[in-house]
Amino acid sequence: MPSNHDVNIKNSDGTLNIPKWINEDYFKGIVAKDEPDSLAIRKLIPTPAIPPGENFTSIMLRIQMDIEMKEFHGSLKHKSYIMKTMMADDKGGAIFNNLAHFPKEMKMYNTILPAFENLYMSEGWHIQLAPKCLLAEKRDGRITFVFEDLSQRNFKNINRQKGCDMNHMLSVMRKLAEFHAASIVYEQQHGSYDEDFQYGMLDIRRGAGHVKTAYETIGRNFKQVMGEWNMDQGEECKKKFPSYEQYWKCALASLQPSSNSFNVLCHGDFWSSNIMFSYFPNGEIDKSLLLDFQVCKWASPAMDLLFFLTISAGKEVRVKEFDNFVSIYYARLVECLKLLRYGKRLPTLRALRQDIYDKKNTFYAFFACMSHLPLLMLPPTEDCNLKNYTRLDEEGEQYRLKALRNPLFVEVIRDMYPYYYRQGLFNFEDYD
């Protein structure tokens, strides 16, 4: 047991050191609250919560334990929890630990998400948006969460390399609409979200210094291999690949949500590994829940829609059903807004489609294509992490070229990049 010494385990960024304070004493209060009929924790073992290459910004542990129960004369009950905490700076966490990601997520789990779910509860709808959070605390400068282990309720992630089929996409679009609808009604009742929620993945208050270096490093390799993908209008797309100045203007535009648009609290990192599904015995989807609320941002719903449709829709539906998914999302959004007594004029489908092609929202599609999609299409291995993908040395360049030449990535980018280019999203001369 890890109660008396640190333990090394393997996770997505290599060897992780388990602090001494992750022990039976730490979990006593959590277990007492979650299992009122418990007597004591008899065994506690931390293990990786996810396979290597499935998480890029935090440490995720599954805390497995045997709990002695009062009934049946001290019988043991097996229980597990998910613990999420900050990565060490030298393990790739420096970029994220300097941002507001973990403090923002504390606000989400402590206050905002419970309020969203209560909005539905007050209208008679039992909608759970996220896993139950049993603890969110800051200790010695490190923020830590303890969640219910959704695997004990048979929730699963899909294969991120394959993406979502039609049935999973229907579930995701509806769940996203439920989250967005609650967020705008909450804003109407409680006022604007604080400043942290005006920034998402791009936070120029704390993290602007690395943007130019990262873009020029990744962008150089991206443009280098575009001609190998054999995609429609490939040479034209390569010729009009954005300069850093165009990219920076595109990124800055994303920080300025239109005052006359319908804005919501976007999830901000909305892709398949941040959604879990449970299923009926016949294999049909029962429920879906959202994870990871570190980069939520006040913006157009187009932000989450573009990001998800770019990197997590499956091969058979990603372009063919693109417009249909927007309509499915919109129908559920309006249904939820009406239920929650939204006090303003309902958004229109026409306006939502205009937002998707607005130049202020292009960043989320392009950033997903260049910085996320290549990494997410790699097989889940120990070296599949953001630190390796953004390295400035020769090893980093070879890793990026491997990702950008990966047949699974090429299959997706060959669909999405020309599609966005033809729709006008990737016409970066608009930013000149």
Side-chain angles (χ1 to χ4, degrees):
M1 288 187 294
S3 54
N4 298 317
H5 52 82
D6 289 359
V7 176
N8 289 327
I9 62 173
K10 290 285 186 179
N11 203 355
S12 58
D13 67 335
T15 300
L16 296 178
N17 188 259
I18 306 300
K20 294 178 182 178
W21 52 267
I22 300 180
N23 55 33
E24 291 92 332
D25 286 340
Y26 183 81
F27 275 88
K28 277 183 180 177
I30 298 170
V31 171
K33 180 180 178 181
D34 190 42
E35 296 284 349
D37 293 329
S38 63
L39 287 172
I41 300 171
R42 293 303 180 197
K43 186 178 182 181
L44 184 147
I45 301 174
T47 61
I50 52 178
E54 294 292 347
N55 182 270
F56 307 107
T57 62
S58 57
I59 296 171
M60 300 290 291
L61 304 175
R62 174 169 281 109
I63 310 298
Q64 302 186 69
M65 63 183 72
D66 289 331
I67 304 171
E68 184 179 350
M69 306 299 291
K70 295 176 183 177
E71 59 182 340
F72 304 119
H73 305 290
S75 61
L76 294 180
K77 178 178 183 178
H78 183 73
K79 189 87 176 186
S80 64
Y81 299 95
I82 298 298
M83 174 175 271
K84 176 179 182 177
T85 191
M86 302 164 79
M87 293 173 64
D89 287 355
D90 63 353
K91 294 294 185 180
I95 294 174
F96 304 101
N97 296 344
N98 290 329
L99 302 174
H101 293 177
F102 274 83
K104 184 186 294 186
E105 193 164 30
M106 276 192 74
K107 296 174 189 174
M108 289 297 297
Y109 277 109
N110 283 341
T111 304
I112 297 174
L113 285 167
F116 287 3
E117 292 176 355
N118 284 336
L119 286 172
Y120 286 108
M121 186 72 71
S122 66
E123 299 297 336
W125 282 21
H126 298 276
I127 290 181
Q128 184 178 359
L129 297 171
K132 181 181 177 183
C133 183
L134 300 164
L135 178 73
E137 70 163 11
K138 188 171 185 178
R139 176 190 288 239
D140 298 328
R142 172 181 284 191
I143 292 175
T144 299
F145 303 92
V146 176
F147 302 107
E148 65 170 319
D149 185 354
L150 289 176
S151 69
Q152 294 197 320
R153 293 167 55 192
N154 297 316
F155 276 83
K156 303 175 183 177
N157 289 112
I158 66 158
N159 184 325
R160 61 172 164 81
Q161 293 177 292
K162 292 183 178 180
C164 293
D165 61 18
M166 190 66 184
N167 288 334
H168 285 88
M169 288 298 300
L170 292 173
S171 179
V172 170
M173 290 297 99
R174 288 172 60 85
K175 182 59 66 175
L176 180 63
E178 291 164 5
F179 175 73
H180 284 173
S183 78
I184 185 64
V185 173
Y186 179 88
E187 189 263 356
Q188 190 177 56
Q189 295 178 357
H190 298 274
S192 300
Y193 295 89
D194 64 36
E195 185 186 7
D196 283 345
F197 293 95
Q198 305 309 311
Y199 298 87
M201 289 185 180
L202 179 70
D203 189 338
I204 59 175
R205 300 170 303 170
R206 302 174 176 89
H210 70 283
V211 174
K212 188 174 191 294
T213 300
Y215 177 75
E216 291 180 342
T217 300
I218 299 171
R220 181 182 67 252
N221 294 142
F222 196 95
K223 188 175 180 181
Q224 176 183 342
V225 300
M226 286 181 79
E228 303 175 17
W229 296 336
N230 193 30
M231 64 184 183
D232 292 342
Q233 299 173 281
E235 286 303 313
E236 191 173 347
C237 291
K238 182 177 180 180
K239 182 180 178 180
K240 294 189 176 183
F241 190 80
S243 66
Y244 170 71
E245 289 72 21
Q246 290 171 326
Y247 173 78
W248 182 238
K249 290 178 181 178
C250 174
L252 290 179
S254 73
L255 298 177
Q256 304 167 10
S258 301
S259 59
N260 61 345
S261 291
F262 177 81
N263 296 310
V264 299
L265 187 67
C266 288
H267 181 279
D269 191 17
F270 197 58
W271 64 291
S272 59
S273 288
N274 283 333
I275 305 163
M276 295 187 75
F277 302 91
S278 65
Y279 301 86
F280 292 111
N282 64 1
E284 293 183 3
I285 299 168
D286 179 15
K287 297 181 177 67
S288 58
L289 292 176
L290 310 181
L291 313 174
D292 198 349
F293 297 88
Q294 294 187 334
V295 290
C296 295
K297 181 186 183 303
W298 185 252
S300 166
M303 173 181 176
D304 282 339
L305 289 168
L306 282 169
F307 198 78
F308 191 86
L309 294 174
T310 300
I311 63 178
S312 291
K315 175 182 178 180
E316 301 301 324
V317 298
R318 68 172 67 104
V319 171
K320 179 182 177 183
E321 301 289 348
F322 188 97
D323 289 338
N324 187 26
F325 292 138
V326 176
S327 296
I328 292 165
Y329 161 86
Y330 173 77
R332 182 60 168 175
L333 177 73
V334 170
E335 182 181 13
C336 292
L337 289 174
K338 289 179 178 178
L339 172 85
L340 299 178
R341 308 172 197 271
Y342 178 59
K344 297 181 181 180
R345 179 180 296 178
L346 291 170
T348 65
L349 180 57
R350 182 192 300 272
L352 176 60
R353 294 195 186 281
Q354 289 172 340
D355 264 7
I356 286 174
Y357 298 108
D358 191 295
K359 61 187 291 186
K360 289 185 176 181
N361 297 315
T362 291
F363 176 76
Y364 306 110
F366 184 76
F367 189 62
C369 282
M370 190 182 75
S371 294
H372 283 70
L373 188 57
L375 193 56
L376 304 183
M377 287 295 121
L378 286 172
T381 60
E382 289 179 10
D383 67 347
C384 183
N385 58 65
L386 192 61
K387 182 180 179 181
N388 284 337
Y389 188 66
T390 57
R391 288 175 61 162
L392 303 181
D393 57 11
E394 176 65 21
E395 189 172 340
E397 178 155 337
Q398 292 306 311
Y399 187 80
R400 283 188 294 278
L401 291 174
K402 172 187 172 182
L404 294 167
R405 288 172 172 145
N406 171 22
L408 291 178
F409 166 72
V410 173
E411 181 181 68
V412 181
I413 201 68
R414 216 163 32 199
D415 283 344
M416 297 311 302
Y417 203 102
Y419 176 76
Y420 285 143
Y421 180 76
R422 290 192 297 269
Q423 300 300 319
L425 268 76
F426 287 177
N427 293 342
F428 290 96
E429 61 269 22
D430 293 349
Y431 297 93
D432 291 337

